[in-house]
């Protein structure tokens, strides 16, 4: 399978999943308690608003909308147009402005140093050559900009252990902290048994 075919296959998969994507508590953030937990988590790790934020693999835009509502200037990309349609509807519902663009998060087309913060939740593990993707993402950050990765190692065997992610971070990125998320069911709407975490890097070159 070549790269273009792989992207088309991924887009088709996520377009099909869009209709039920928000049924997961941490995707839709429909429960006020779950939404509040994610809001507190992200705002704890982001600099004060307003920041230029890029949400990579935004899905139906729940986190994008949350950050826009907190005063950040948010750009959000996803490969699936059906996901973006729902994200745009969500932004209208919450009366916030988000620049949603159809784009492959693995190869984002933005100028170097365009963003103060990059956010990616539960996507990096599924991309080909995540170490190379991290190198690309690092170039998009301003000096001292932050990369927030929410990842895990799932019960199914997929995912990225936090130690492996630390080892693959490119030289411009320096870890500034991490937080275990598995133990707090408020993030997921239920108890979970696998490894889930947030890890934050800053670009210091």
């Amino acid at each position: 399978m070549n790269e273009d075919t792989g992207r088309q296959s991924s887009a088709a998969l996520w377009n099909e999943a869009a209709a039920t994507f928000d049924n997961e508590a941490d995707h839709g953030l429909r429960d006020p308690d779950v939404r509040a937990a994610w809001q507190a988590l992200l705002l704890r790790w982001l600099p004060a608003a307003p920041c230029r934020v890029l949400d990579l693999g935004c899905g139906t835009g729940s986190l994008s909308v949350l950050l826009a509502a907190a005063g950040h200037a948010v750009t959000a990309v996803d490969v699936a147009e059906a996901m973006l349609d729902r994200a745009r509807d969500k932004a209208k519902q919450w009366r916030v402005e988000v620049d949603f663009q159809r784009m492959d998060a693995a190869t984002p087309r933005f100028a170097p140093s365009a963003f103060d913060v990059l956010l990616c939740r539960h996507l990096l593990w599924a991309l080909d050559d995540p170490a190379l993707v991290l190198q690309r993402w690092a170039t998009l950050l301003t000096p001292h900009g932050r990369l927030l990765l929410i990842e895990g190692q799932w019960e199914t065997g997929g995912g990225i252990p936090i130690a492996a992610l630390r080892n693959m971070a490119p030289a411009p990125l320096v870890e500034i902290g991490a937080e275990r998320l598995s133990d707090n069911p408020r993030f997921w709407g239920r108890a979970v048994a696998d490894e889930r975490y947030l890890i934050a890097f800053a670009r210091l070159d």
Side-chain angles (χ1 to χ4, degrees):
M1 181 185 296
N2 63 36
E3 190 171 359
D4 287 341
T5 303
R7 287 174 181 154
Q8 292 168 5
S9 176
S10 176
L13 174 68
W14 290 113
N15 277 320
E16 184 177 346
T20 58
F21 189 77
D22 279 352
N23 291 349
E24 291 290 334
D26 58 305
H27 292 171
L29 303 187
R30 292 166 172 166
D31 184 317
D33 193 46
V34 175
R35 183 180 179 86
W38 281 101
Q39 181 181 47
L41 175 72
L42 295 180
L43 296 185
R44 191 158 62 241
W45 286 97
L46 264 71
C51 289
R52 295 169 296 168
V53 179
L54 175 61
D55 186 358
L56 293 150
C58 66
T60 58
S62 293
L63 297 187
S64 307
V65 168
L66 188 154
L67 293 179
H72 295 288
V74 182
T75 301
V77 302
D78 201 276
V79 73
E81 191 62 41
M83 291 283 190
L84 293 172
D85 287 342
R86 285 164 173 76
R88 294 183 183 105
D89 288 343
K90 196 173 293 183
K92 289 178 182 178
Q93 176 186 350
W94 286 91
R95 298 182 181 179
V96 297
E97 293 291 332
V98 178
D99 179 14
F100 290 108
Q101 300 187 35
R102 186 175 183 274
M103 193 180 299
D104 185 351
T107 54
R109 302 183 302 276
F110 296 103
S113 304
F115 298 98
D116 304 304
V117 176
L118 269 61
L119 169 67
C120 183
R121 180 173 68 170
H122 297 170
L123 174 67
L124 184 65
W125 73 275
L127 300 178
D128 293 335
D129 201 346
L132 176 59
V133 171
L134 286 174
Q135 291 177 19
R136 293 171 183 154
W137 290 354
T139 67
L140 302 180
L141 285 170
T142 57
H144 304 289
R146 298 184 187 182
L147 170 63
L148 304 183
L149 297 173
I150 299 161
E151 287 292 342
Q153 186 171 31
W154 326 127
E155 292 176 299
T156 59
I160 306 176
I162 194 169
L165 189 47
R166 286 182 168 124
N167 288 336
M168 71 175 66
L173 297 180
V174 175
E175 183 182 343
I176 58 173
E179 187 169 341
R180 181 176 170 86
L181 306 180
S182 305
D183 300 331
N184 188 344
R186 291 183 66 214
F187 292 121
W188 321 109
R190 59 187 175 86
V192 297
D194 45 17
E195 178 189 14
R196 305 185 187 195
Y197 59 85
L198 178 150
I199 187 167
F201 297 92
R203 178 180 168 183
L204 297 184
D205 64 341

